[in-house]
């Protein structure tokens, strides 16, 4: 009896000690919610980066994400999981994929294998299949080049539980260090048959692979060696079919790059062209950026959306590898962007990609304020602001009681977000900066999504998008606009 209670006492002491070894997570995190967004997705605790496996199934939008639950800095990657029925309310679910003896679970995608081509489900209950990169961290610390490979896992219960395929990896490493982030989609071939297409980031090019069953993959094409921005490694590609405004078929290839973006650090470039038999042929050599702000990275689009939605839905990671591990949140790190709808538009004969806030975001509006003045108080930390612009230029400044300021503007063909004095920035020397984007065509209206620690600016419904995170010392309280801003509306947004 005495021995038993001594043993219990020792176990109790060990549990207490192990909790204290990571006080940030166990204690502080549960009380310090500073900067927690009100309507952007964040993990409850721990680290998050890229969105993964964006797939729609039976009324649910799944959001898997790069996650390290044991710390607020990047580490052994898991796939965290959340679902939403409306793209604005997210329910966190248990972790979907844990690292194992083959490695960490890096970024990837998920598809609904409706015809059970993989044989991982049954005809009555076809599987949801996740395709991800294994990153063998031990091997990565050696001279080996073969530490990243592609693997699959499947779920037969709408993503609630997952089983890894017993014969992983399905695409072994051919001897290339950076070999990751598989994005898979289903393609209908000219003869009407279907096959799976994988778009993979390979150092600083994109490889295309084809498969009949998600298990056997063959290389069918490569793209990108001498085109586009090459200031860093290419990551998280996504190949998407679109119609141009004149009804022509085009393909868009999203490629995230780190570093080497238009601002310092990470960003997503894209190419527009044709895609046939594994060959992507770009229309031109112009470098295009999906979002000119510093904080929209590794974004990808939803698969298996119902055809009647007839849209391409995108979510990005709202941070930048320059400082992602250092931002001053305590319980968690990083949020996702609001969901955006991508489409092609034409400006003076040049095709560009537009990112408009998803329609569902209107559901967040709780109260509307029509502002007739050039200045107004803000009803909450979470607001949407919409305004019309006269004469192609504007200034909009935010202030708070702490004396911080944040300035958005368009002047002389440049759209800018100046966050130099927008609050805490001493955690990284690159953070306090003014970020600008060229916009040679007319700005007619703007929409802004502001949350506790971010701002997303959409000019002309997303013809130009800029995303920036911010850490104001107190909530933004006041907005002041220049005379050429008209019909100013402020919506209070709910949780
Ligand atoms: C992009 C990225 C991916 C990789 C993942 C690791 O942000 O570097 O290329 O799979 O993050 O967490």
């Amino acid at each position: 009896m005495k021995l038993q209670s001594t043993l219990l006492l020792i176990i109790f002491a060990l549990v207490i000690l192990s909790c204290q070894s990571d006080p940030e997570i166990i204690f502080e995190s549960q009380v310090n919610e500073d900067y927690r967004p009100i309507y952007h997705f964040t993990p409850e605790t721990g680290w998050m980066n890229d969105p993964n496996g964006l797939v729609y199934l039976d009324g649910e939008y799944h959001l898997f994400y790069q996650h390290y639950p044991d710390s607020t800095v990047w580490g052994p990657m898991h796939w965290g999981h959340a679902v939403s029925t409306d793209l604005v309310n997210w329910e966190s679910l248990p972790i979907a994929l844990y690292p194992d003896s083959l490695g960490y679970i890096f970024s990837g995608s998920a598809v609904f294998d409706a015809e059970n081509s993989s044989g991982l489900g049954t005809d009555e209950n076809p599987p949801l299949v996740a395709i991800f990169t294994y990153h063998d961290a031990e091997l990565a610390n050696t001279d080996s080049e073969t530490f990243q490979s592609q693997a699959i896992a499947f779920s037969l219960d709408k993503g609630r539980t997952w089983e890894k395929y017993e014969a992983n990896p399905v695409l072994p490493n051919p001897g290339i260090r950076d070999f990751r982030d598989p994005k898979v989609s289903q393609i209908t071939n000219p003869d009407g048959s279907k096959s799976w297409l994988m778009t993979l980031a390979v150092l600083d090019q994109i490889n295309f692979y084809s498969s009949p069953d998600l298990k056997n993959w063959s290389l069918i094409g490569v793209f990108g060696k001498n085109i586009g921005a090459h200031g860093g490694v290419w990551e998280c590609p996504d190949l998407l079919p679109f119609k141009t405004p004149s009804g022509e078929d085009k393909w868009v290839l999203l490629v995230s790059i780190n570093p080497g973006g238009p601002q310092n650090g990470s960003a997503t470039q894209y190419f527009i062209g044709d895609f046939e038999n594994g060959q992507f042929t770009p229309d031109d050599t112009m470098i295009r950026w999906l979002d000119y702000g510093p904080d929209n990275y590794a974004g990808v689009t939803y698969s298996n959306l119902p055809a009647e939605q007839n849209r391409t839905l995108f979510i990005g990671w709202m941070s930048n590898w320059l400082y992602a591990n250092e931002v001053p949140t305590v319980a968690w790190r990083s949020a996702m962007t609001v969901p955006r709808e991508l489409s092609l538009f034409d400006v003076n004969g040049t095709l560009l990609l537009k990112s408009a806030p998803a329609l569902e975001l209107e559901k967040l509006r709780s109260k509307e304020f029509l502002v007739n003045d050039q200045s107004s108080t803000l009803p909450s930390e979470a607001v949407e602001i919409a305004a019309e612009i006269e004469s192609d230029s504007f200034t909009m400044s935010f202030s708070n009681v702490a004396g911080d300021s944040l300035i958005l503007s368009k002047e002389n063909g440049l759209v800018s977000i100046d966050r130099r004095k927008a609050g805490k920035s001493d955690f990284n020397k690159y953070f306090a900066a003014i970020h600008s984007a060229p916009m040679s065509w007319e700005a007619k209206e703007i929409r802004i999504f502001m949350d506790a620690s971010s701002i997303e600016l959409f000019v002309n419904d997303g013809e130009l998008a800029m995303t920036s995170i911010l850490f104001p010392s107190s909530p933004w309280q006041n907005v002041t606009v220049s005379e050429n801003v008209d019909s100013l509306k402020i919506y209070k947004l709910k949780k």
Side-chain angles (χ1 to χ4, degrees):
M1 190 62 202
K2 208 170 163 203
L3 185 69
Q4 255 181 6
S5 47
T6 317
L7 267 176
L8 272 176
L9 212 70
I10 292 174
I11 290 170
F12 182 62
L14 281 175
V15 168
I16 293 285
L17 271 177
S18 72
C19 288
Q20 281 175 348
S21 68
D22 199 354
E24 191 174 77
I25 285 296
I26 307 294
F27 299 115
E28 210 182 337
S29 69
Q30 272 144 30
V31 290
N32 188 333
E33 287 288 285
D34 289 356
Y35 310 119
R36 175 80 82 178
I38 290 172
Y39 59 93
H40 284 84
F41 179 77
T42 47
E44 277 163 21
T45 55
W47 167 269
M48 174 174 86
N49 57 295
D50 315 356
N52 297 149
L54 302 183
V55 62
Y56 177 89
L57 186 63
D58 295 340
E60 288 182 324
Y61 296 91
H62 291 265
L63 165 62
F64 299 92
Y65 54 91
Q66 288 287 278
H67 184 39
Y68 183 28
D70 301 333
S71 171
T72 46
V73 293
W74 189 90
M77 285 293 112
H78 302 52
W79 272 26
H81 190 195
V83 286
S84 172
T85 52
D86 60 5
L87 289 169
V88 293
N89 295 292
W90 293 97
E91 180 195 350
S92 283
L93 293 179
I95 288 175
L97 296 171
Y98 284 80
D100 58 44
S101 61
L102 293 181
Y104 300 173
I105 315 291
F106 269 22
S107 287
S109 49
V111 292
F112 179 54
D113 181 12
E115 280 108 42
N116 192 28
S117 67
S118 60
L120 295 168
T122 58
D123 290 350
E124 297 70 46
N125 190 16
L128 199 56
V129 179
I131 309 95
F132 59 89
T133 299
Y134 264 127
H135 172 91
D136 184 333
E138 264 175 46
L139 205 57
N141 276 332
T142 67
D143 285 344
S144 164
E145 307 278 330
T146 60
F147 48 85
Q148 294 185 341
S149 58
Q150 319 319 317
I152 58 178
F154 60 100
S155 169
L156 299 174
D157 57 0
K158 300 182 196 290
R160 268 44 184 192
T161 58
W162 290 85
E163 198 175 316
K164 288 171 186 143
Y165 174 50
E166 59 192 8
N168 275 334
V170 291
L171 180 57
N173 189 297
I176 306 170
R177 292 184 70 80
D178 295 291
F179 189 72
R180 60 176 176 270
D181 307 340
K183 178 74 163 63
V184 172
S185 54
Q186 200 167 34
I187 296 279
T188 306
N189 300 306
D191 65 358
S193 66
K194 286 185 175 165
S195 56
W196 300 101
L197 176 76
M198 180 197 289
T199 309
L200 192 75
V202 180
L203 197 58
D204 65 345
Q205 74 173 35
I206 301 303
N207 284 10
F208 299 107
Y209 298 83
S210 175
S211 170
D213 56 8
L214 296 163
K215 294 170 171 168
N216 297 286
W217 293 95
S218 25
L219 182 66
I220 54 167
V222 299
F223 167 75
K225 261 287 168 258
N226 299 308
I227 190 164
H230 284 272
V233 68
W234 285 18
E235 301 183 312
C236 303
D238 198 354
L239 180 69
L240 309 161
F242 280 101
K243 283 263 184 240
T244 66
S246 58
E248 210 188 331
D249 289 317
K250 279 285 162 199
W251 290 83
V252 169
L253 179 62
L254 304 182
V255 177
S256 283
I257 171 171
N258 176 53
Q263 315 297 347
N264 254 326
S266 335
T268 301
Q269 62 180 322
Y270 64 93
F271 303 88
I272 302 179
D274 297 315
F275 182 77
E276 225 185 316
N277 300 327
Q279 300 310 310
F280 182 84
T281 314
D283 285 354
D284 56 37
T285 56
M286 180 178 166
I287 296 181
R288 294 166 165 89
W289 299 101
L290 183 73
D291 185 314
Y292 272 89
D295 299 306
N296 178 359
Y297 192 61
V300 281
T301 61
Y302 269 92
S303 70
N304 200 44
L305 286 181
E308 63 272 17
Q309 285 200 11
N310 192 22
R311 62 175 175 174
T312 304
L313 261 183
F314 167 98
I315 293 182
W317 172 46
M318 204 154 50
S319 198
N320 187 315
W321 281 115
L322 261 188
Y323 41 70
N325 278 285
E326 294 155 26
V327 297
T329 55
V330 176
W332 83 99
R333 273 216 173 88
S334 302
M336 293 301 175
T337 65
V338 291
R340 303 171 184 195
E341 216 178 297
L342 305 185
S343 60
L344 285 176
F345 72 106
D346 182 313
V347 57
N348 306 325
T350 302
L351 283 177
L352 293 173
L353 201 54
K354 161 169 166 175
S355 339
L359 268 186
E360 283 87 340
L361 290 162
E362 289 182 13
K363 283 196 193 158
L364 287 170
R365 295 173 178 173
S366 66
K367 263 192 195 160
E368 175 176 338
F369 301 86
L370 253 176
V371 183
N372 294 317
D373 256 333
Q374 265 160 257
S375 191
S376 168
T377 52
L378 295 172
S380 156
E381 289 179 275
V383 289
E384 178 193 336
I385 301 179
E388 282 165 26
I389 306 298
E390 273 175 16
S391 63
D392 194 30
S393 68
F394 69 91
T395 324
M396 182 176 276
S397 358
F398 297 88
S399 58
N400 59 16
V401 285
D404 300 333
S405 69
L406 166 69
I407 306 162
L408 316 184
S409 62
K410 180 168 186 199
E411 264 157 25
N412 306 323
L414 276 189
V415 180
S416 305
I417 298 184
D418 182 351
R419 68 173 181 196
R420 285 174 298 180
K421 297 196 172 123
K424 198 162 176 56
S425 63
D426 58 359
F427 52 89
N428 184 285
K429 67 175 178 190
Y430 295 108
F431 195 80
I434 171 162
H435 299 111
S436 298
M439 186 178 178
S440 57
W441 65 105
E442 196 184 346
K444 295 186 188 131
E445 40 111 3
I446 53 175
R447 258 175 97 190
I448 287 159
F449 284 83
M450 178 166 257
D451 206 335
S453 48
S454 61
I455 187 152
E456 289 159 277
L457 165 64
F458 300 94
V459 186
N460 297 353
D461 200 28
E463 289 181 356
L464 189 112
M466 291 184 84
T467 303
S468 181
I469 54 173
L470 318 153
F471 301 96
S473 312
S474 69
W476 298 113
Q477 232 184 0
N478 207 276
V479 60
T480 304
V481 297
S482 54
E483 267 173 20
N484 31 18
V485 175
D486 258 357
S487 322
L488 182 61
K489 281 187 202 142
I490 302 179
Y491 301 92
K492 181 176 178 190
L493 301 185
K494 50 187 180 224
K495 213 174 170 56

